[in-house]
Amino acid sequence: MAKTSAPGGEFTSSTQMFGCSGFSEALSQATDETIGDVKAAIRSALNKMVAKIKTLVSGEIRNVYNVPRSILDERLAIFTAKIQDLEAELVVGGRSVALSYFGMKAVEGNMRKSVSIKKTGRGYRGQLKTTVKRSFAESSITVEVIKGRQTTLKKSAFVAVMKSGHVGIMHRGPGSIKSRSASKSVKHKQALYENSVVSIATMFSQVGVNDAVVAKIDAELEIIFWHELEFYTERSGR
């Protein structure tokens, strides 16, 4: 699993290799006149296959994880790389999802807080929704990452809205930061941390969707490729 930093959250990815015998066969039989059509058909077939896989992966993840479809689909990235004859590399990844999106329910006295999803000019974002009840209750924050499994977070956790508008579940506590020069840890107090996030790669691996992805590629990629090759060769012959 690869990790890189990205605006709005850590980007994680998972990769796997797959093949299509039709690619190799068509490339080996291609002439100078038809090689362009073969390569165009490969690109088109892979793009169409990736779109189908994204729909499959999103559905499989949401069968297990209580993540809003709009948030998951916006962050979920599936693409291919290193296409060489028989093999292509499928990369599944995306920016991690904050705990606040997983059915968060926060109670502070008579205040009840939750997150609603709103479409903005920058895409789908969480918006803090606060309601006031007549009854008072002990402060608590619960989330439901896995469907049907509600988890109560530590009492030190609290909900905060960042300047960017991001709604995070935060906590304060002591920690340490490594000094770059001396490679020593410098202690600090009252630092703020976002409680946790769930990575796309983790959700992908935990739902065991690999087998379903491989089965879909095996069943459909070859058919899509030959259909696309027929389209491009017929277009060139006109």
Coordinates of all heavy atoms in Angstrom, one line a residue, residues 64-158:
V64 N -20.2 -2.6 3.1 CA -19.6 -2.8 4.4 C -19.4 -1.6 5.2 O -19.7 -1.5 6.4 CB -18.2 -3.5 4.2 CG1 -17.5 -3.8 5.6 CG2 -18.4 -4.9 3.5
Y65 N -18.9 -0.5 4.6 CA -18.6 0.7 5.3 C -19.7 1.8 5.2 O -20.3 1.9 4.1 CB -17.3 1.4 4.7 CG -16.0 0.7 5.2 CD1 -15.6 -0.5 4.5 CD2 -15.3 1.1 6.3 CE1 -14.4 -1.1 4.9 CE2 -14.2 0.4 6.7 CZ -13.7 -0.7 6.0 OH -12.6 -1.4 6.4
N66 N -19.9 2.5 6.2 CA -21.0 3.5 6.3 C -20.5 4.8 5.8 O -20.6 5.8 6.5 CB -21.5 3.6 7.8 CG -22.7 4.5 7.9 OD1 -23.6 4.5 7.0 ND2 -22.8 5.2 9.0
V67 N -20.0 4.9 4.6 CA -19.5 6.1 4.0 C -20.4 6.6 3.0 O -21.0 5.8 2.2 CB -18.1 5.8 3.4 CG1 -18.1 4.7 2.4 CG2 -17.5 7.1 2.9
P68 N -20.7 7.9 2.9 CA -21.6 8.5 1.9 C -21.1 8.2 0.5 O -19.9 8.4 0.3 CB -21.7 10.0 2.3 CG -21.3 10.0 3.7 CD -20.3 8.9 3.9
R69 N -22.0 7.8 -0.4 CA -21.6 7.5 -1.7 C -20.9 8.7 -2.4 O -19.9 8.6 -3.1 CB -22.8 7.1 -2.6 CG -22.5 6.8 -4.0 CD -23.6 6.2 -4.8 NE -23.3 5.9 -6.2 CZ -24.0 5.3 -7.0 NH1 -25.2 4.9 -6.6 NH2 -23.6 5.1 -8.2
S70 N -21.5 9.9 -2.2 CA -21.0 11.1 -2.9 C -19.5 11.4 -2.4 O -18.7 11.7 -3.3 CB -21.8 12.3 -2.6 OG -21.9 12.5 -1.2
I71 N -19.2 11.2 -1.2 CA -17.9 11.4 -0.7 C -16.9 10.3 -1.2 O -15.8 10.6 -1.7 CB -17.8 11.4 0.9 CG1 -18.7 12.6 1.4 CG2 -16.4 11.4 1.4 CD1 -18.1 13.9 1.1
L72 N -17.3 9.1 -1.1 CA -16.5 8.0 -1.6 C -16.2 8.1 -3.1 O -15.0 8.0 -3.5 CB -17.1 6.7 -1.3 CG -16.4 5.4 -1.8 CD1 -15.0 5.3 -1.1 CD2 -17.2 4.1 -1.5
D73 N -17.2 8.3 -3.9 CA -17.1 8.4 -5.3 C -16.2 9.5 -5.8 O -15.5 9.4 -6.8 CB -18.4 8.4 -6.0 CG -19.2 7.1 -6.0 OD1 -18.6 6.1 -5.5 OD2 -20.3 7.1 -6.4
E74 N -16.3 10.7 -5.0 CA -15.4 11.8 -5.4 C -14.0 11.6 -5.1 O -13.1 12.0 -5.8 CB -15.9 13.0 -4.6 CG -15.2 14.3 -4.9 CD -15.7 15.5 -4.1 OE1 -15.5 15.5 -2.9 OE2 -16.3 16.4 -4.7
R75 N -13.7 10.8 -4.0 CA -12.3 10.5 -3.6 C -11.7 9.3 -4.2 O -10.5 9.2 -4.3 CB -12.2 10.5 -2.1 CG -12.7 11.8 -1.5 CD -12.4 11.8 0.0 NE -12.9 13.1 0.6 CZ -12.5 13.6 1.7 NH1 -11.6 12.9 2.4 NH2 -12.9 14.7 2.1
L76 N -12.5 8.3 -4.6 CA -12.1 7.1 -5.1 C -11.4 7.2 -6.5 O -12.1 7.8 -7.4 CB -13.2 6.1 -5.2 CG -12.9 4.6 -5.7 CD1 -11.9 4.0 -4.7 CD2 -14.2 3.8 -5.7
A77 N -10.2 6.8 -6.6 CA -9.5 7.0 -7.9 C -9.0 5.6 -8.4 O -8.4 4.8 -7.6 CB -8.3 7.9 -7.8
I78 N -9.4 5.2 -9.6 CA -9.0 3.9 -10.2 C -8.5 4.2 -11.6 O -9.1 4.8 -12.4 CB -10.2 2.9 -10.2 CG1 -10.7 2.7 -8.8 CG2 -9.7 1.6 -10.8 CD1 -11.9 1.8 -8.8
F79 N -7.2 3.8 -11.8 CA -6.6 4.0 -13.1 C -5.6 3.0 -13.4 O -5.2 2.2 -12.5 CB -6.0 5.4 -13.2 CG -5.1 5.7 -12.1 CD1 -3.7 5.5 -12.2 CD2 -5.5 6.3 -10.9 CE1 -2.8 5.8 -11.2 CE2 -4.7 6.6 -9.8 CZ -3.3 6.4 -10.0
T80 N -5.1 2.9 -14.6 CA -4.1 1.9 -15.0 C -2.8 2.6 -15.3 O -2.8 3.8 -15.7 CB -4.6 1.1 -16.2 OG1 -5.0 2.0 -17.3 CG2 -5.8 0.2 -15.8
A81 N -1.8 1.9 -15.2 CA -0.4 2.4 -15.5 C 0.5 1.2 -15.9 O 0.1 0.1 -15.8 CB 0.2 3.1 -14.3
K82 N 1.6 1.6 -16.5 CA 2.6 0.6 -16.9 C 2.0 -0.5 -17.8 O 2.1 -1.7 -17.6 CB 3.3 0.0 -15.7 CG 4.0 0.9 -14.9 CD 4.7 0.2 -13.7 CE 5.4 1.2 -12.8 NZ 6.0 0.6 -11.6
I83 N 1.3 0.0 -18.9 CA 0.6 -1.0 -19.8 C 1.7 -1.5 -20.7 O 2.3 -0.8 -21.5 CB -0.5 -0.3 -20.6 CG1 -1.5 0.3 -19.7 CG2 -1.1 -1.3 -21.6 CD1 -2.5 1.3 -20.4
Q84 N 2.0 -2.8 -20.6 CA 3.0 -3.5 -21.5 C 2.4 -4.8 -22.0 O 2.5 -5.8 -21.2 CB 4.3 -3.6 -20.7 CG 5.0 -2.3 -20.4 CD 6.3 -2.5 -19.6 OE1 6.5 -3.6 -19.2 NE2 7.0 -1.4 -19.4
D85 N 2.0 -4.8 -23.2 CA 1.5 -6.1 -23.8 C 0.4 -6.8 -22.9 O -0.7 -6.3 -22.8 CB 2.6 -7.0 -24.2 CG 3.6 -6.4 -25.2 OD1 3.2 -5.4 -25.8 OD2 4.7 -6.9 -25.3
L86 N 0.9 -7.9 -22.3 CA -0.1 -8.7 -21.6 C -0.5 -8.1 -20.2 O -1.5 -8.4 -19.7 CB 0.5 -10.1 -21.3 CG 0.5 -11.1 -22.5 CD1 1.3 -12.3 -22.1 CD2 -0.9 -11.4 -22.9
E87 N 0.4 -7.3 -19.7 CA 0.1 -6.8 -18.3 C -0.2 -5.3 -18.2 O 0.4 -4.5 -18.9 CB 1.3 -7.2 -17.4 CG 1.4 -8.6 -17.0 CD 2.3 -8.9 -15.8 OE1 3.3 -8.2 -15.8 OE2 2.0 -9.7 -15.0
A88 N -1.1 -5.0 -17.3 CA -1.4 -3.6 -16.9 C -1.4 -3.6 -15.4 O -1.7 -4.6 -14.7 CB -2.7 -3.2 -17.5
E89 N -1.1 -2.4 -14.9 CA -1.1 -2.2 -13.4 C -2.4 -1.4 -13.0 O -2.6 -0.3 -13.5 CB 0.1 -1.5 -13.0 CG 0.2 -1.4 -11.5 CD 1.5 -0.6 -11.1 OE1 1.6 0.6 -11.2 OE2 2.5 -1.3 -10.6
L90 N -3.2 -2.1 -12.2 CA -4.4 -1.4 -11.7 C -4.2 -0.7 -10.4 O -3.7 -1.4 -9.5 CB -5.6 -2.4 -11.6 CG -6.9 -1.8 -11.1 CD1 -7.5 -1.0 -12.3 CD2 -7.9 -2.9 -10.7
V91 N -4.4 0.5 -10.3 CA -4.2 1.3 -9.0 C -5.5 1.8 -8.5 O -6.3 2.4 -9.2 CB -3.2 2.5 -9.3 CG1 -3.0 3.2 -8.0 CG2 -1.9 2.0 -9.9
V92 N -5.8 1.4 -7.2 CA -7.0 1.8 -6.5 C -6.6 2.6 -5.4 O -5.8 2.2 -4.5 CB -7.8 0.6 -6.0 CG1 -9.1 1.0 -5.3 CG2 -8.2 -0.3 -7.2
G93 N -7.1 3.9 -5.3 CA -6.6 4.7 -4.2 C -7.5 5.9 -4.1 O -8.6 6.0 -4.6
G94 N -7.1 6.9 -3.3 CA -7.8 8.1 -3.1 C -7.5 8.8 -1.7 O -6.8 8.2 -0.9
R95 N -8.0 10.0 -1.5 CA -7.8 10.7 -0.3 C -8.6 10.0 0.8 O -9.7 9.6 0.6 CB -8.2 12.1 -0.4 CG -7.3 12.9 -1.3 CD -7.6 14.4 -1.3 NE -8.9 14.7 -1.9 CZ -10.0 15.2 -1.3 NH1 -9.9 15.4 0.0 NH2 -11.1 15.4 -2.0
S96 N -8.0 9.9 2.0 CA -8.6 9.3 3.1 C -9.9 10.1 3.6 O -10.1 11.2 3.2 CB -7.7 9.2 4.3 OG -7.1 10.5 4.6
V97 N -10.8 9.4 4.3 CA -12.1 9.9 4.7 C -12.1 10.1 6.2 O -11.8 9.2 6.9 CB -13.2 9.0 4.2 CG1 -14.6 9.6 4.6 CG2 -13.2 8.7 2.7
A98 N -12.4 11.3 6.6 CA -12.5 11.7 8.0 C -13.6 10.9 8.7 O -14.6 10.6 8.2 CB -12.7 13.2 8.2
L99 N -13.4 10.6 10.0 CA -14.4 9.9 10.8 C -15.7 10.6 10.9 O -16.8 10.0 11.0 CB -13.9 9.7 12.2 CG -13.0 8.5 12.5 CD1 -12.7 8.4 14.0 CD2 -13.6 7.2 12.0
S100 N -15.7 11.9 10.7 CA -16.9 12.7 10.8 C -17.9 12.4 9.8 O -19.1 12.6 9.9 CB -16.6 14.2 10.8 OG -15.9 14.5 9.6
Y101 N -17.5 11.8 8.7 CA -18.4 11.4 7.6 C -19.1 10.0 7.9 O -20.0 9.7 7.1 CB -17.6 11.3 6.3 CG -17.3 12.6 5.7 CD1 -15.9 13.0 5.5 CD2 -18.2 13.6 5.3 CE1 -15.6 14.2 5.0 CE2 -17.9 14.8 4.8 CZ -16.5 15.1 4.6 OH -16.2 16.3 4.1
F102 N -18.6 9.3 8.9 CA -19.2 8.0 9.1 C -20.3 8.0 10.2 O -20.1 7.5 11.3 CB -18.1 7.0 9.5 CG -17.1 6.7 8.4 CD1 -15.9 7.5 8.2 CD2 -17.3 5.6 7.6 CE1 -15.0 7.2 7.2 CE2 -16.4 5.3 6.6 CZ -15.3 6.1 6.4
G103 N -21.4 8.7 9.8 CA -22.5 8.7 10.7 C -22.3 9.3 12.1 O -22.8 8.8 13.1
M104 N -21.5 10.3 12.1 CA -21.1 10.9 13.4 C -22.3 11.5 14.1 O -23.2 12.2 13.5 CB -20.1 12.0 13.2 CG -19.6 12.7 14.5 SD -18.9 14.3 14.2 CE -20.3 15.4 14.0
K105 N -22.4 11.2 15.4 CA -23.4 11.8 16.3 C -22.8 12.3 17.5 O -22.2 11.5 18.3 CB -24.5 10.8 16.7 CG -25.3 10.3 15.5 CD -26.3 9.3 15.9 CE -27.1 8.7 14.7 NZ -28.1 7.7 15.1
A106 N -22.8 13.6 17.7 CA -22.1 14.2 18.9 C -23.2 14.9 19.8 O -24.1 15.5 19.3 CB -21.1 15.3 18.5
V107 N -23.0 14.6 21.1 CA -23.9 15.2 22.1 C -23.1 16.1 23.1 O -22.1 15.7 23.6 CB -24.6 14.1 22.9 CG1 -25.5 14.7 24.0 CG2 -25.4 13.2 22.0
E108 N -23.6 17.3 23.3 CA -23.0 18.2 24.2 C -24.2 18.9 25.0 O -24.7 19.9 24.6 CB -22.2 19.3 23.5 CG -20.9 18.8 22.8 CD -20.2 19.8 22.1 OE1 -20.4 21.0 22.4 OE2 -19.3 19.5 21.3
G109 N -24.5 18.3 26.1 CA -25.6 18.8 26.9 C -26.9 18.7 26.1 O -27.4 17.5 25.8
N110 N -27.5 19.8 25.7 CA -28.8 19.7 24.9 C -28.5 19.9 23.4 O -29.4 20.1 22.7 CB -29.8 20.7 25.4 CG -29.4 22.1 25.2 OD1 -28.2 22.4 25.1 ND2 -30.3 23.0 25.1
M111 N -27.2 20.0 23.1 CA -26.9 20.2 21.7 C -26.6 18.8 21.0 O -25.9 18.0 21.6 CB -25.6 21.0 21.6 CG -25.7 22.4 22.3 SD -26.7 23.6 21.4 CE -25.5 24.0 20.2
R112 N -27.1 18.6 19.8 CA -26.9 17.4 19.0 C -26.2 17.8 17.7 O -26.8 18.7 17.0 CB -28.2 16.6 18.8 CG -29.0 16.3 20.0 CD -28.3 15.3 20.9 NE -29.2 14.8 22.0 CZ -29.3 15.4 23.1 NH1 -28.7 16.6 23.4 NH2 -30.1 14.9 24.1
K113 N -25.1 17.2 17.4 CA -24.4 17.6 16.2 C -24.2 16.4 15.2 O -23.9 15.3 15.7 CB -23.0 18.2 16.5 CG -23.1 19.4 17.3 CD -21.7 19.9 17.7 CE -21.7 21.2 18.5 NZ -20.3 21.7 18.8
S114 N -24.4 16.6 14.0 CA -24.1 15.6 12.9 C -23.6 16.3 11.7 O -23.5 17.5 11.6 CB -25.4 14.9 12.6 OG -26.4 15.8 12.1
V115 N -23.2 15.5 10.7 CA -22.7 16.1 9.5 C -23.6 15.7 8.3 O -23.9 14.6 8.1 CB -21.2 15.5 9.2 CG1 -20.8 15.9 7.8 CG2 -20.3 16.0 10.3
S116 N -24.0 16.8 7.6 CA -24.7 16.6 6.3 C -23.8 16.8 5.1 O -22.9 17.6 5.2 CB -26.0 17.5 6.3 OG -25.6 18.8 6.4
I117 N -24.1 16.2 4.0 CA -23.3 16.4 2.8 C -23.9 17.4 1.9 O -25.1 17.4 1.6 CB -23.2 15.0 2.1 CG1 -22.7 13.9 3.0 CG2 -22.2 15.2 0.9 CD1 -21.4 14.1 3.7
K118 N -23.0 18.4 1.5 CA -23.5 19.4 0.7 C -22.6 19.6 -0.6 O -21.3 19.5 -0.4 CB -23.5 20.8 1.4 CG -23.9 22.0 0.7 CD -23.9 23.2 1.5 CE -24.4 24.4 0.7 NZ -24.3 25.7 1.5
K119 N -23.1 19.8 -1.7 CA -22.4 20.0 -2.9 C -22.0 21.4 -3.0 O -22.8 22.3 -3.0 CB -23.1 19.5 -4.2 CG -22.3 19.5 -5.4 CD -23.0 18.9 -6.6 CE -22.1 18.9 -7.8 NZ -22.8 18.3 -9.0
T120 N -20.7 21.7 -3.2 CA -20.2 23.0 -3.3 C -19.4 23.2 -4.6 O -19.3 22.2 -5.4 CB -19.3 23.4 -2.1 OG1 -18.0 22.6 -2.2 CG2 -19.9 23.0 -0.8
G121 N -18.9 24.4 -4.8 CA -18.1 24.6 -6.0 C -16.8 23.8 -6.0 O -16.1 23.6 -7.0
R122 N -16.4 23.3 -4.8 CA -15.2 22.5 -4.7 C -15.5 21.1 -4.6 O -14.6 20.3 -4.2 CB -14.3 23.0 -3.5 CG -13.8 24.4 -3.6 CD -13.0 24.8 -2.4 NE -13.9 24.8 -1.2 CZ -13.4 24.8 0.1 NH1 -12.1 24.9 0.3 NH2 -14.2 24.8 1.1
G123 N -16.7 20.7 -4.8 CA -17.1 19.3 -4.7 C -18.0 19.0 -3.5 O -18.5 20.0 -2.9
Y124 N -18.1 17.8 -3.1 CA -18.9 17.5 -2.0 C -18.2 17.7 -0.7 O -17.0 17.3 -0.5 CB -19.4 16.0 -2.0 CG -20.4 15.8 -3.1 CD1 -20.0 15.3 -4.4 CD2 -21.8 16.0 -2.9 CE1 -20.9 15.1 -5.4 CE2 -22.7 15.8 -3.9 CZ -22.3 15.4 -5.1 OH -23.2 15.2 -6.1
R125 N -18.8 18.4 0.3 CA -18.2 18.7 1.6 C -19.2 18.4 2.7 O -20.4 18.5 2.5 CB -17.8 20.2 1.6 CG -16.7 20.6 0.6 CD -15.4 19.9 0.9 NE -14.3 20.4 0.0 CZ -14.0 19.8 -1.1 NH1 -14.7 18.7 -1.5 NH2 -13.0 20.2 -1.9
G126 N -18.6 18.2 3.9 CA -19.4 18.0 5.0 C -19.8 19.3 5.7 O -19.0 20.3 5.7
Q127 N -21.0 19.4 6.1 CA -21.5 20.6 6.8 C -22.0 20.3 8.2 O -22.9 19.3 8.3 CB -22.6 21.3 5.9 CG -23.0 22.7 6.4 CD -23.9 23.3 5.5 OE1 -24.9 22.7 5.0 NE2 -23.7 24.6 5.1
L128 N -21.6 20.9 9.2 CA -22.0 20.6 10.6 C -23.4 21.0 10.8 O -23.8 22.2 10.5 CB -21.1 21.3 11.6 CG -21.3 20.9 13.0 CD1 -20.9 19.4 13.2 CD2 -20.4 21.7 14.0
K129 N -24.2 20.1 11.2 CA -25.6 20.4 11.5 C -25.9 20.3 13.0 O -25.6 19.3 13.6 CB -26.5 19.4 10.8 CG -28.0 19.6 10.9 CD -28.8 18.5 10.2 CE -30.3 18.7 10.4 NZ -31.0 17.6 9.7
T130 N -26.4 21.4 13.6 CA -26.6 21.4 15.1 C -28.1 21.6 15.4 O -28.8 22.4 14.8 CB -25.8 22.5 15.7 OG1 -24.4 22.4 15.4 CG2 -26.0 22.5 17.2
T131 N -28.6 20.8 16.3 CA -30.0 20.9 16.7 C -30.0 21.0 18.2 O -29.1 20.5 18.9 CB -30.9 19.7 16.3 OG1 -30.3 18.5 16.8 CG2 -30.9 19.6 14.8
V132 N -31.0 21.6 18.7 CA -31.2 21.8 20.2 C -32.3 21.0 20.7 O -33.4 21.1 20.2 CB -31.4 23.3 20.6 CG1 -31.5 23.5 22.1 CG2 -30.2 24.1 20.0
K133 N -32.1 20.1 21.7 CA -33.1 19.3 22.3 C -33.5 19.8 23.7 O -32.7 20.5 24.4 CB -32.6 17.9 22.4 CG -32.2 17.2 21.1 CD -33.4 17.0 20.2 CE -32.9 16.2 19.0 NZ -34.0 15.9 18.0
R134 N -34.7 19.5 24.2 CA -35.1 19.9 25.5 C -34.3 19.1 26.6 O -34.0 19.7 27.7 CB -36.6 19.7 25.7 CG -37.4 20.6 24.9 CD -38.9 20.4 25.1 NE -39.7 21.3 24.4 CZ -41.1 21.4 24.5 NH1 -41.7 20.5 25.3 NH2 -41.7 22.2 23.7
S135 N -34.0 17.9 26.3 CA -33.4 17.0 27.3 C -31.8 17.2 27.2 O -31.3 17.5 26.2 CB -33.7 15.6 27.1 OG -33.3 15.2 25.8
F136 N -31.2 17.0 28.4 CA -29.7 17.1 28.5 C -29.2 15.7 28.6 O -29.8 14.8 29.1 CB -29.3 17.9 29.7 CG -29.4 19.4 29.5 CD1 -30.7 20.0 29.5 CD2 -28.3 20.2 29.3 CE1 -30.9 21.4 29.3 CE2 -28.5 21.6 29.1 CZ -29.7 22.2 29.1
A137 N -28.0 15.5 28.1 CA -27.3 14.2 28.1 C -25.8 14.4 28.3 O -25.3 15.4 28.0 CB -27.6 13.4 26.9
E138 N -25.2 13.3 28.7 CA -23.7 13.3 28.9 C -23.0 13.5 27.6 O -23.5 12.9 26.6 CB -23.2 12.1 29.6 CG -21.8 12.0 29.9 CD -21.3 10.8 30.6 OE1 -22.2 9.9 30.9 OE2 -20.1 10.6 30.8
S139 N -22.0 14.3 27.5 CA -21.3 14.5 26.3 C -20.7 13.2 25.7 O -20.1 12.5 26.5 CB -20.2 15.6 26.4 OG -20.7 16.8 26.8
S140 N -20.8 13.0 24.4 CA -20.3 11.8 23.8 C -20.2 12.0 22.3 O -21.0 12.9 21.7 CB -21.1 10.6 24.1 OG -22.4 10.7 23.5
I141 N -19.4 11.3 21.6 CA -19.3 11.3 20.2 C -19.3 9.8 19.7 O -18.4 9.0 20.2 CB -18.0 12.0 19.6 CG1 -18.0 13.5 20.1 CG2 -18.0 11.9 18.1 CD1 -16.8 14.2 19.6
T142 N -20.2 9.5 18.8 CA -20.2 8.1 18.3 C -20.1 8.2 16.8 O -20.5 9.1 16.1 CB -21.5 7.4 18.7 OG1 -22.6 8.1 18.1 CG2 -21.7 7.3 20.2
V143 N -19.5 7.2 16.2 CA -19.4 7.0 14.8 C -19.7 5.6 14.4 O -19.7 4.7 15.2 CB -18.0 7.3 14.2 CG1 -17.6 8.8 14.4 CG2 -16.9 6.5 14.9
E144 N -20.1 5.4 13.1 CA -20.4 4.0 12.7 C -19.6 3.8 11.4 O -20.1 4.0 10.3 CB -21.9 3.9 12.4 CG -22.3 2.5 12.0 CD -23.8 2.4 11.8 OE1 -24.6 3.2 12.4 OE2 -24.2 1.6 10.9
V145 N -18.4 3.4 11.5 CA -17.5 3.2 10.4 C -18.0 1.9 9.6 O -18.2 2.0 8.4 CB -16.0 3.0 10.8 CG1 -15.1 2.7 9.6 CG2 -15.5 4.3 11.5
I146 N -18.1 0.8 10.3 CA -18.6 -0.4 9.7 C -20.1 -0.4 10.0 O -20.5 -0.1 11.1 CB -18.0 -1.7 10.4 CG1 -16.5 -1.6 10.2 CG2 -18.6 -2.9 9.7 CD1 -16.0 -1.7 8.8
K147 N -20.9 -0.7 9.0 CA -22.3 -0.7 9.1 C -22.8 -1.6 10.3 O -22.4 -2.8 10.4 CB -23.0 -1.1 7.8 CG -23.0 -0.1 6.7 CD -23.8 -0.5 5.5 CE -23.8 0.7 4.5 NZ -24.6 0.3 3.3
G148 N -23.6 -1.0 11.2 CA -24.1 -1.8 12.3 C -23.2 -1.9 13.5 O -23.6 -2.5 14.5
R149 N -22.0 -1.2 13.4 CA -21.1 -1.3 14.6 C -20.8 0.2 15.0 O -20.0 0.9 14.5 CB -19.8 -1.9 14.2 CG -19.9 -3.4 13.8 CD -18.5 -3.9 13.5 NE -18.6 -5.2 12.9 CZ -17.5 -5.9 12.4 NH1 -16.3 -5.4 12.6 NH2 -17.6 -7.1 11.9
Q150 N -21.6 0.6 16.0 CA -21.4 2.0 16.5 C -20.3 2.0 17.5 O -20.2 1.2 18.4 CB -22.7 2.5 17.1 CG -22.8 4.0 17.3 CD -24.1 4.4 17.7 OE1 -24.5 4.3 18.9 NE2 -24.9 5.0 16.8
T151 N -19.4 3.0 17.4 CA -18.3 3.1 18.3 C -18.3 4.5 19.0 O -18.5 5.5 18.4 CB -17.0 3.0 17.5 OG1 -16.9 1.8 16.9 CG2 -15.8 3.1 18.5
T152 N -18.1 4.5 20.4 CA -18.1 5.7 21.2 C -16.6 6.1 21.3 O -15.8 5.3 21.8 CB -18.7 5.5 22.5 OG1 -20.1 5.1 22.4 CG2 -18.7 6.8 23.3
L153 N -16.3 7.3 21.0 CA -14.9 7.8 21.0 C -14.6 8.2 22.4 O -15.4 8.4 23.3 CB -14.7 8.9 20.0 CG -15.0 8.6 18.6 CD1 -14.8 9.8 17.7 CD2 -14.2 7.4 18.1
K154 N -13.3 8.4 22.7 CA -12.8 8.9 24.0 C -13.4 10.2 24.4 O -13.7 11.0 23.5 CB -11.3 9.0 24.0 CG -10.6 7.6 23.8 CD -9.1 7.8 23.9 CE -8.3 6.5 23.7 NZ -6.9 6.7 23.7
K155 N -13.6 10.4 25.6 CA -14.2 11.7 26.1 C -13.4 12.9 25.7 O -13.9 14.0 25.7 CB -14.4 11.6 27.6 CG -15.5 10.6 28.1 CD -15.7 10.7 29.5 CE -16.9 9.7 29.9 NZ -17.2 9.8 31.4
S156 N -12.1 12.8 25.5 CA -11.3 13.9 25.1 C -11.6 14.4 23.7 O -11.1 15.4 23.3 CB -9.8 13.6 25.2 OG -9.5 12.5 24.4
A157 N -12.3 13.6 22.9 CA -12.6 14.0 21.5 C -13.7 15.1 21.5 O -14.6 15.2 22.3 CB -13.1 12.8 20.7
F158 N -13.5 16.0 20.5 CA -14.5 17.0 20.3 C -14.6 17.3 18.8 O -13.7 17.0 18.0 CB -14.2 18.2 21.1 CG -12.9 18.9 20.7 CD1 -12.9 20.0 19.8 CD2 -11.7 18.5 21.2 CE1 -11.7 20.6 19.4 CE2 -10.5 19.1 20.8 CZ -10.5 20.2 20.0

